[in-house]
Amino acid sequence: MLNNSSATSAESRTGAPFYRAVGDEIEVFRAAARRGLPVLLKGPTGCGKTRFVEAMAEQSGRELITVAGHEDMTSADLVGRFLLKGSETVWVDGPLTRAVREGAIFYLDEVVEARQDTTVVIHPLADHRRALPVDRLGTTVPAAPGFQLVISYNPGYQSVLKNLKESTRQRFVAIELGFPPAQAEIDIVSHETGVDPQTAQALVALGNAIRNLDGSPLREGASTRMLILAGGLVAEGLGLRSAVQAAIVQILSDDTDVIRALGELADAVLPPM
Amino acid sequence: MLNNSSATSAESRTGAPFYRAVGDEIEVFRAAARRGLPVLLKGPTGCGKTRFVEAMAEQSGRELITVAGHEDMTSADLVGRFLLKGSETVWVDGPLTRAVREGAIFYLDEVVEARQDTTVVIHPLADHRRALPVDRLGTTVPAAPGFQLVISYNPGYQSVLKNLKESTRQRFVAIELGFPPAQAEIDIVSHETGVDPQTAQALVALGNAIRNLDGSPLREGASTRMLILAGGLVAEGLGLRSAVQAAIVQILSDDTDVIRALGELADAVLPPM
Amino acid sequence: MLNNSSATSAESRTGAPFYRAVGDEIEVFRAAARRGLPVLLKGPTGCGKTRFVEAMAEQSGRELITVAGHEDMTSADLVGRFLLKGSETVWVDGPLTRAVREGAIFYLDEVVEARQDTTVVIHPLADHRRALPVDRLGTTVPAAPGFQLVISYNPGYQSVLKNLKESTRQRFVAIELGFPPAQAEIDIVSHETGVDPQTAQALVALGNAIRNLDGSPLREGASTRMLILAGGLVAEGLGLRSAVQAAIVQILSDDTDVIRALGELADAVLPPM
Amino acid sequence: MLNNSSATSAESRTGAPFYRAVGDEIEVFRAAARRGLPVLLKGPTGCGKTRFVEAMAEQSGRELITVAGHEDMTSADLVGRFLLKGSETVWVDGPLTRAVREGAIFYLDEVVEARQDTTVVIHPLADHRRALPVDRLGTTVPAAPGFQLVISYNPGYQSVLKNLKESTRQRFVAIELGFPPAQAEIDIVSHETGVDPQTAQALVALGNAIRNLDGSPLREGASTRMLILAGGLVAEGLGLRSAVQAAIVQILSDDTDVIRALGELADAVLPPM
Amino acid sequence: MLNNSSATSAESRTGAPFYRAVGDEIEVFRAAARRGLPVLLKGPTGCGKTRFVEAMAEQSGRELITVAGHEDMTSADLVGRFLLKGSETVWVDGPLTRAVREGAIFYLDEVVEARQDTTVVIHPLADHRRALPVDRLGTTVPAAPGFQLVISYNPGYQSVLKNLKESTRQRFVAIELGFPPAQAEIDIVSHETGVDPQTAQALVALGNAIRNLDGSPLREGASTRMLILAGGLVAEGLGLRSAVQAAIVQILSDDTDVIRALGELADAVLPPM
Amino acid sequence: MLNNSSATSAESRTGAPFYRAVGDEIEVFRAAARRGLPVLLKGPTGCGKTRFVEAMAEQSGRELITVAGHEDMTSADLVGRFLLKGSETVWVDGPLTRAVREGAIFYLDEVVEARQDTTVVIHPLADHRRALPVDRLGTTVPAAPGFQLVISYNPGYQSVLKNLKESTRQRFVAIELGFPPAQAEIDIVSHETGVDPQTAQALVALGNAIRNLDGSPLREGASTRMLILAGGLVAEGLGLRSAVQAAIVQILSDDTDVIRALGELADAVLPPM
């Protein structure tokens, strides 16, 4: 049975995107938006890239259309295709075409996962042409005012096989995001989960302890998103250690030794039970 | 010719899922359910992950829809597709879309086997958006109250090629399951097969002896499921050693030396014939 | 021009499957059948796995539906598909769906050759659910009484790439078959080919001599099937050595040195010309 | 402009297949045919495998249907498929189905080049079942009397990746063919090309000199087919050395040094100009 | 909110392509155009290859049709295909066919990314035939006067796998482009962005400093395009160092050490804040 | 703007194929044509293989149908396919089927680039059968008198992966072509481009100097085709050195050092400016 109050808090969480600036990312984004330049967001998983774009869209009053790249994604998934409806074929705009027509922000998350034809399709939108050729319709759709292309990727994941082509990359203005400073992160965890400041502080302290581990065997450090998930479980009445185990420790590793070491680190950092 | 009584017992076995808690897995699951958070079940083959989800669905009165991941599975297999019926095309919801609309638990077993576009399709359902974009229909289906996403995987099987992406993994709350303690496992084997407690005890003792082998060449230890299959053969009148050979030893290995060693272990652990 | 008498003997050969038990394989199969458990047959090429399943089907009065796995086999090949007939699409059950509806034995030979989605499709039939989800129809077909799943594979052929997944394997009860003892094999060769007992004995003696070669460069030993083919050629009037050359030696190897060595072994074992 | 007389001789060449037996291949083939057993022909390129099958078909008065395996060949290419004719779909038998219905010899040349589903499709035709399941039609076509399956492969080409599966291979009776003895080959070259016996003798002498080269860098020796092509050019008025260069030397190698060495060998073996 | 004045300047930028010749590239291009010879442009990312083709098209009054090669591009994407419109199939010319019919310049950017069938399709257009066979229509379209084929590639990116086939390459006349000399590049940056000459000079000085780094770990140097993007951000009011960071430093590398080193280089080269 | 006179000279160039024989290639080709034997042309890129076939077609009054092999080419591209026209499917002959019906020369350029099913499809046309089975139509098309199959490949490019199968190769008569002797090549360059004899001589001298470089790092030498392109640029008024740079030096290499060395060689060989 679902708890009504948490359902309500979930709604309030999606209402107004909460974003705390760390450097000059907002100024760079706004300058790029004024000039119609595309933006490349760089940063680790769960540091708030999506939240940043949501906040920028909210502030400029533009619609945000988000698509996550994956290795089976083709250009037709972005641009659109003909579908059979009854006995007729009807063209259905893809999310990119919709964003171009409506002047929305189009956010292509994890762009390097997509197949190369999807990155090529965004080239004419990412330079002075600002237009989307729709081969299947034989037309070119000019970008409405306000259209802006944003892509993200995680530099820690790049490999020889999956990398952004230089010719794509050089069309963008880059903004690097990292995890927020401690106090900002405590505010975020409190705001997003409703836990008391002590719990938020304890979770952020643990997060930073994990991020600062020397010679860490972890692929990634504890992300802000993971701290928020742990806080959410606490807010639902689960004990802090159980929540940390479920949302942080067991997520960070499958290795028995690493899991035990992270548990000991949690014991040292978290307040005694 | 099939024995009617066993057919009947098969039906009774499927009626009420039998689950014995080992740690705090039920509390974590319920806290996640209240908050609408997705759950990642980790654990070896045959330890009871599916049974656990069945029990959680039963207890919360929600429908359970289960799909097993495989390498040819695409997002359309989850979301739905247009089918020709007569001379018209009709949209048919996939199992995920059905679960989203009906507020069911959607259990994606062995998620890492599926192609990446299937893991990307669950992202918007696994964060605060709680909605499923159905590109082919041009709509987004909001998750009904009660909808919950559960995925499972076996950490012992992960490889560089088949692994859960960090950006997927960090959206989940993890619960690790292992094999149950001896007495709990004896209860399970008795309950599921109808063998007498001595036989159940002997099978569990053999299972634990195999799991504790030093420097074992086995890919996996004897699972609870295998003990239940062996018990089932005994319940049908087969000798204990033949049942152990068929349901455990020959399943665990194809190597002649390993098979002989497991047979000797069985001789040492099982009661004399 | 074909010889009528051999055509007749071919028919008699297919009438009643001839099977000689070696161990407890019949008891294990029957216990599994009573409980509705799926069976995994392990053994080398040509040792009689298919013949064993045919005999079990015959004895229990159930239909046998056999399908050979191959790397292009997909789940649709087993479950069924829509076909265009005239201007309408008509659903056509695949062989597995037919077996499930009719309570037949479904024998999937060389299961590891098939693509993984075919092994996933048999999972719900291989555990307590005993039902086949037919996604394309949006229905689940419960297994009729008597339905039983049997799969086979050859342990000598397994590789890292083509192996049975543990989660599939652990749903089965395993029966290992090998080549029959000498007298049983002589009976089989005589019965299947109509050659005199001396010829059958000579062929079986050669077969065992080849199987017992030290440090053999052969991928497989001489199978019962090969002995039967050689006997068949003798029954059609070919000389014993020519028959052995055609059905055994040239089949076992393409290497000139190995072929000569096998010829010398045949000279030593077979009666003088 | 084409010379009419040679067009005529081409027709006479296809009229009655000319085959000279070397060992007991004809007796083995006939015994296999009487019993309905499938035959595997082994031997190097151009040694006369196809010609042998043509002769066997001719002698037994059965039709011969030949298909060459290639890596894009699927089972549908052999069994048949539905084709759109006007607004209806019509089933069209593939060459294998036609051979099965009509009792023809079906010759699958270079079987290892085909995809595995094509080799699996021939299994039920290669054992006591002698029937072809046609999944798309939901029927099984019994082999008409006289149907016989013949496959060929070149042992010198086998690799780990492209090899006949043991379970396929062991269903066949094997016949190994090599290049014919000198006098037989001289007769063949004369008969097929119309050159005088001296020219035929010179070409066969050169062929055998090339086959007997020590430590040869050639992938294959000079085949009977190549000698026939060279003879054909001579019959059209080209000089013997030019014909040998075009049909043998330049075909056997692209390496300048090897080409020169083969030219010197030709100078030594062929009669002086 | 978008700034109107910059939207206007964007339009003026696209009106008349600005190109400054460096060597004899314009003479070579014109001689090739007079003779109808195809041209291969070689040069690094962002050096102005596209701009050069735009200027050549403008000067000769011919239409320019540009397509970017990608690894999923097939010949149908260039030549055209049948599309369903209502209940009829209609042929739709691809961009290459359109260019051939209309006598336009067809510019295939990053040709080595495309699949080989796309490069083969351009062969008959790239030699004396000057015609495009359209297999699907069963016709050959002769090139209208003025049609010219231009392809580009970046020699720094070639690999064994992705290279232009010799038989393609040898049909072209090659023009190599590099980055422009300092004063020309300053003019370009000023003209394209509207920044003052001091800022343009500083950006070009930084660009050349980066291009001249010894033992550079960068895949590519700073391109003219990157300098223009940085200038554009300055023109929108962003500080010079923030603009350089966003459009140059963070684009050139993801490595923390390299990013710091580039920042120090920028401090040394740019005027003090 | 295009120069009319050069457009006219382009037409005259395509009117009558100009071919200068080097060895006995014409005699061999004609003997093969009289006998209906298929021909394999071997030689480096741009040496005149296509021109040779054009000349042979012209001299014998047969139509020439040319297709370039590529890795996505399938047998349907050669044989034909059903296409939807309005609401009916219509068979459209592929270029090979057309050549077979009409008795044309069918020239498959760069055969090793095509997929293997395309090479298998030509087998029955390359031996005594001289017929093309069209599976989709269920018919076999006999070759009309005059049909001749010609394939080409470049021995310098062969690899383990892309090679002509022996069973294909041995069906052909081979003709090896190289670059023509100096005087012949001078005549060709003059005739094709209209430059004066001194320029043609200089270009051929440079071509031979490049072909004779010791330990050359070039994949291929300067081809006749490249000399003709350079001559063409000179004929359009470009300086000799600029033309050599564009059509030869920049085509032969992307390496700065090699380009400089070739430039110095050009300075030494070409007449002083």
Side-chain angles (χ1 to χ4, degrees), chain D residues 142-225:
Chain D
F147 171 77
Q148 190 176 15
L149 187 60
V150 182
I151 64 179
S152 76
Y153 88 129
N154 181 341
Y157 275 18
Q158 303 327 304
S159 68
V160 174
L161 283 174
K162 287 201 169 175
N163 217 323
L164 213 49
K165 290 164 56 178
E166 283 297 311
S167 60
T168 301
R169 189 173 171 127
Q170 295 192 11
R171 287 162 205 269
F172 285 80
V173 165
I175 294 172
E176 187 177 34
L177 296 177
F179 294 118
Q183 190 52 51
E185 199 166 27
I186 292 168
D187 291 355
I188 292 168
V189 172
S190 304
H191 181 273
E192 295 284 325
T193 65
V195 295
D196 59 73
Q198 289 72 20
T199 301
Q201 189 163 15
L203 287 168
V204 170
L206 177 62
N208 281 320
I210 292 173
R211 291 168 195 160
N212 293 330
L213 282 175
D214 276 337
S216 167
L218 303 173
R219 280 158 300 192
E220 305 224 0
S223 66
T224 308
R225 170 179 281 154

Side-chain angles (χ1 to χ4, degrees), chain D residues 199 201-211 213 218 222 227 230 239-250 252 257-273:
Chain D
T199 301
Q201 189 163 15
L203 287 168
V204 170
L206 177 62
N208 281 320
I210 292 173
R211 291 168 195 160
L213 282 175
L218 303 173
L227 304 185
L240 181 57
R241 267 167 181 72
S242 286
V244 160
Q245 194 71 19
I248 301 179
V249 173
Q250 289 285 351
L252 281 172
D257 292 337
V258 174
I259 286 171
R260 188 176 42 233
L262 288 173
E264 291 168 7
L265 184 65
D267 285 342
V269 172
L270 297 180
M273 283 185 284

Side-chain angles (χ1 to χ4, degrees), chain C residues 189-253:
Chain C
V189 171
S190 304
H191 180 274
E192 294 285 325
T193 65
V195 296
D196 60 73
Q198 289 72 21
T199 301
Q201 188 162 17
L203 288 168
V204 170
L206 177 62
N208 281 319
I210 293 172
R211 291 167 195 160
N212 294 330
L213 282 175
D214 276 337
S216 167
L218 303 173
R219 281 158 301 193
E220 304 226 359
S223 67
T224 308
R225 172 179 279 153
M226 285 160 67
L227 304 184
I228 292 170
L229 283 175
L233 290 175
V234 171
E236 295 298 337
L238 200 67
L240 180 56
R241 269 168 178 71
S242 285
V244 160
Q245 195 70 20
I248 300 178
V249 172
Q250 288 286 351
I251 291 298
L252 281 172
S253 182

Side-chain angles (χ1 to χ4, degrees), chain E residues 236-255:
Chain E
E236 295 297 338
L238 201 65
L240 180 57
R241 271 170 177 70
S242 286
V244 160
Q245 194 71 20
I248 302 178
V249 173
Q250 289 287 350
I251 292 298
L252 281 173
S253 181
D254 296 327
D255 183 283

Side-chain angles (χ1 to χ4, degrees), chain C residues 1-3 6-7 9-10 13-14 45-46 51 54 66 68-72 77 81 83-87 92 109-110 113 157 162 192-194 219-221 223 225-226 229 231-233 235-238 242 245-247 249-254 259, chain D residues 24 27-28 30-38 40 42 60 62 73-75 82 84 87-89 115-118 120 123 126-130 135-138 144-147 153 155 158 163-176:
Chain C
M1 200 176 62
L2 289 181
N3 178 323
S6 75
S9 90
R13 289 205 313 271
T14 63
T45 308
R51 187 53 59 104
E54 289 173 349
T66 299
H70 57 81
E71 61 187 18
D72 298 311
D77 294 324
R81 50 170 56 92
L83 292 182
L84 264 172
K85 295 220 171 160
S87 64
V92 179
D109 194 14
E110 304 198 56
E113 298 291 339
Y157 275 16
K162 287 200 170 176
E192 294 285 325
T193 65
R219 281 158 301 193
E220 304 226 359
S223 67
R225 172 179 279 153
M226 285 160 67
L229 283 175
L233 290 175
E236 295 298 337
L238 200 67
S242 285
Q245 195 70 20
V249 172
Q250 288 286 351
I251 291 298
L252 281 172
S253 182
D254 295 328
I259 285 171
Chain D
D24 61 357
E27 287 71 32
V28 174
R30 287 178 178 165
R34 284 195 295 274
R35 194 118 186 144
L37 299 180
L40 165 64
K42 314 193 323 189
S60 63
R62 289 179 286 167
M73 174 179 277
T74 64
S75 59
F82 284 102
L84 265 171
S87 64
E88 279 187 65
T89 55
R115 297 178 68 172
Q116 279 199 6
D117 72 337
T118 61
V120 164
H123 276 199
D127 58 28
H128 63 273
R129 289 173 284 179
R130 278 182 65 83
D135 291 351
R136 294 292 175 120
L137 296 178
F147 171 77
Y153 88 129
Q158 303 327 304
N163 217 323
L164 213 49
K165 290 164 56 178
E166 283 297 311
S167 60
T168 301
R169 189 173 171 127
Q170 295 192 11
R171 287 162 205 269
F172 285 80
V173 165
I175 294 172
E176 187 177 34

